[in-house]
Amino acid sequence: MKINVFAGHSPGLATLFGSEMWERFSYYGMRALLVLYMVDYLLRPERINGALGLPELKRALEALSGPLGPQPLASQIYGLYTGLVYLTPLLGGLIADRWLGRTRTIALGAGMMVAGHFLMAYEPYFLIALSLIAFGCGAFKPNITTQVGELYPRDDPRRDRAYSIFYVGINIGAFFAPLVCGTLGEKIGWHYGFMSAGVGMAVGLGVYLYGRASLPPDRPMRVAVSEPDKGEYRRALLSIAVLFIPSALFWAAFEQQGNTIAIWAEQFTDRSVDILGWRAEIPVTWFQAFNPLMIFLFTPPLVAFWGWLAQRGREPSTMRKLTLGCLGVAASFTVLALAATLRDGGKASWLWLLLYFTIITLSELHFSPITLSLVSHLAPEGARSALMGAWFTSMFLGNLLAGWIGSLWVNFTSAQFFLLVGGLGALAAATVEAARRVLRETMR
């Protein structure tokens, strides 16, 4: 029996699904290699001076943080880069809403990312490449996310499920990215991994341009928010402001996956497998495929379960889902703290990471697509992309915080560090619960 996940949805959802899938393939393929590339190769004393602007950036960061070795420096650069990826959508949303329209802004951003990924293969242009990818993502991300919501009428109950399906596309790309780009980068050469990410982004651009006829038409430019919508605009801004801090805390913990979790997998995890006498070692970058694999394995039954609960009037509210997601983050890092405690100077089994990724994936499904759907629902016409960009700035703050926290890795034991990060999830859950009354008022 074939299951068509797009049944009952707009044809444009398949186009956006495919475009985002390939864009995320390129993003997560490069991200899987980025910290390892910097720590093991680019930031070594004999190479760091070969990248334009990198010695100056190192001096600037050291002026704020003190001397930085390769791992703390890599963590801070990683945080700045991933943070910029989520700050630039504010600019990308404004450009789309006021000047270029969503379709042209998405195409422009995709082209910038193609160029950036290919430039990653050339060491002197490292910072230029990261900037192109970050600003290209800023033009691409809020607008393609907004277009998903525009496929449906304002109160269409399919909207939440469409965002969950769209989220599967994100994670299919993110799953194959470490397997392809990560393997090429680790086993053949860093630059081959980065170039494969560029090929993926080029495919994503092609998919989007090919299917653009199925997408919502761009609205007229320079349309101000109308008088009747100003109240909605203020309510949307209030919702974003209330959720800003828990979102930043959630992503500060979650984004350790590409940072300190990669270091933990490389240096403190027994990655060997033995199946009926067949022995192998799991490549470090492959662990970053666990989360996206579980996303598209867990999403269909979870969405079906929510639908089943909804028919009985028992589906968790939006705020309750957010709280559960934040608590799950706290639980996932508590698992790693336990693994670090029990390893007793040796290496921890990779099965601990499997359990960690299982819990944090379920947490993500209760948080990320739900917040995207909420922002799309609350934002009035004429300001949707801009408000989606404003929402992404919470992820900017979270990623900056993730980079700074990751630089503390060398100052704590592994168990202490994981408990610190888990505490961010618990604090985020408490903040959501404290804000429940305000959020209920804005959603009326």
Side-chain angles (χ1 to χ4, degrees):
M1 175 180 173
K2 293 183 178 180
I3 299 176
N4 181 6
V5 296
F6 299 107
H9 289 277
S10 165
L13 183 60
T15 296
L16 299 177
F17 178 100
S19 304
E20 181 73 358
M21 179 186 73
W22 282 107
E23 187 273 333
R24 292 290 90 181
F25 172 90
S26 70
Y27 177 81
Y28 284 105
M30 192 277 276
R31 195 193 77 160
L33 294 169
L34 184 57
V35 169
L36 298 175
Y37 170 65
M38 289 191 287
V39 172
D40 296 339
Y41 183 80
L42 185 65
L43 300 185
R44 295 297 179 186
E46 65 273 17
R47 294 192 182 92
I48 190 171
N49 292 324
L52 293 172
L54 194 52
E56 291 77 12
L57 177 61
K58 181 176 185 287
R59 285 195 291 271
L61 292 173
E62 287 182 331
L64 297 172
S65 304
L68 295 171
Q71 188 278 323
L73 177 58
S75 181
Q76 294 214 20
I77 293 174
Y78 174 86
L80 285 170
Y81 161 68
T82 55
L84 193 59
V85 163
Y86 291 108
L87 178 63
T88 52
L90 186 59
L91 176 61
L94 288 170
I95 289 172
D97 281 340
R98 301 303 180 201
W99 294 291
L100 296 182
R102 285 190 246 292
T103 301
R104 283 181 289 181
T105 306
I106 289 169
L108 173 64
M112 293 172 66
M113 286 189 282
V114 171
H117 283 299
F118 281 116
L119 278 178
M120 283 291 294
Y122 302 95
E123 294 167 32
Y125 305 113
F126 175 71
L127 293 181
I128 296 172
L130 289 183
S131 299
L132 279 171
I133 297 169
F135 280 92
C137 192
F140 187 95
K141 188 71 174 172
N143 294 300
I144 198 167
T145 303
T146 300
Q147 281 188 326
V148 174
E150 290 184 334
L151 294 172
Y152 304 92
R154 187 74 179 270
D155 296 317
D156 194 318
R158 295 175 299 168
R159 184 191 296 259
D160 271 9
R161 290 165 200 153
Y163 271 104
S164 292
I165 292 169
F166 180 71
Y167 213 67
V168 173
I170 291 173
N171 287 281
I172 290 175
F175 167 69
F176 286 105
L179 303 183
V180 177
C181 306
T183 301
L184 288 173
E186 276 194 87
K187 304 299 182 183
I188 300 178
W190 301 110
H191 303 142
Y192 289 96
F194 294 137
M195 291 185 73
S196 66
V199 171
M201 188 63 247
V203 174
L205 174 58
V207 169
Y208 184 80
L209 294 176
Y210 180 78
R212 67 188 184 278
S214 65
L215 302 176
D218 282 341
R219 307 297 183 190
M221 299 301 102
R222 303 180 185 276
V223 176
V225 179
S226 64
E227 284 294 332
D229 285 338
K230 285 185 177 178
E232 293 181 60
Y233 186 78
R234 285 192 292 268
R235 285 194 294 273
L237 281 177
L238 178 59
S239 296
I240 290 172
V242 168
L243 288 172
F244 199 91
I245 296 301
S247 176
L249 294 171
F250 178 93
W251 292 111
F254 187 87
E255 281 296 330
Q256 295 303 318
Q257 287 184 55
N259 191 354
T260 53
I261 298 301
I263 301 297
W264 168 262
E266 181 183 43
Q267 299 178 4
F268 301 102
T269 298
D270 180 0
R271 296 179 279 117
S272 61
V273 293
D274 188 340
I275 303 175
L276 299 177
W278 178 78
R279 295 178 176 85
E281 185 174 71
I282 303 172
V284 174
T285 52
W286 284 25
F287 284 99
Q288 294 189 45
F290 282 18
N291 170 250
L293 172 63
M294 292 174 183
I295 287 285
F296 58 80
L297 288 178
F298 295 168
T299 295
L302 183 61
V303 170
F305 180 60
W306 285 342
W308 182 82
L309 289 176
Q311 291 174 359
R312 291 155 179 80
R314 297 170 57 191
E315 181 178 8
S317 67
T318 296
M319 285 77 80
R320 182 64 67 191
K321 290 175 183 176
L322 300 184
T323 299
L324 291 171
C326 295
L327 289 175
V329 167
S332 68
F333 280 95
T334 301
V335 164
L336 286 186
L338 181 60
T341 300
L342 295 178
R343 73 182 181 88
D344 193 27
K347 290 191 173 184
S349 169
W350 64 272
L351 294 174
W352 286 104
L353 277 174
L354 179 64
L355 179 57
Y356 158 81
F357 280 112
T358 299
I359 298 172
I360 204 167
T361 298
L362 289 170
S363 305
E364 181 184 3
L365 287 172
H366 281 79
F367 193 91
S368 185
I370 305 306
T371 56
L372 295 179
S373 177
L374 175 63
V375 173
S376 175
H377 171 75
L378 292 173
E381 183 56 57
R384 285 181 182 158
S385 286
L387 283 174
M388 190 65 74
W391 171 247
F392 282 130
T393 60
S394 70
M395 302 179 196
F396 159 72
L397 179 60
N399 279 271
L400 281 184
L401 183 58
W404 177 76
I405 290 173
S407 70
L408 302 177
W409 172 261
V410 295
N411 298 327
F412 294 94
T413 67
S414 300
Q416 290 170 339
F417 180 84
F418 291 138
L419 286 174
L420 170 66
V421 178
L424 299 179
L427 181 58
T431 307
V432 171
E433 284 299 303
R436 282 171 65 88
R437 181 175 179 180
V438 175
L439 291 170
R440 280 198 297 268
E441 290 292 329
T442 61
M443 293 176 64
R444 286 181 179 176

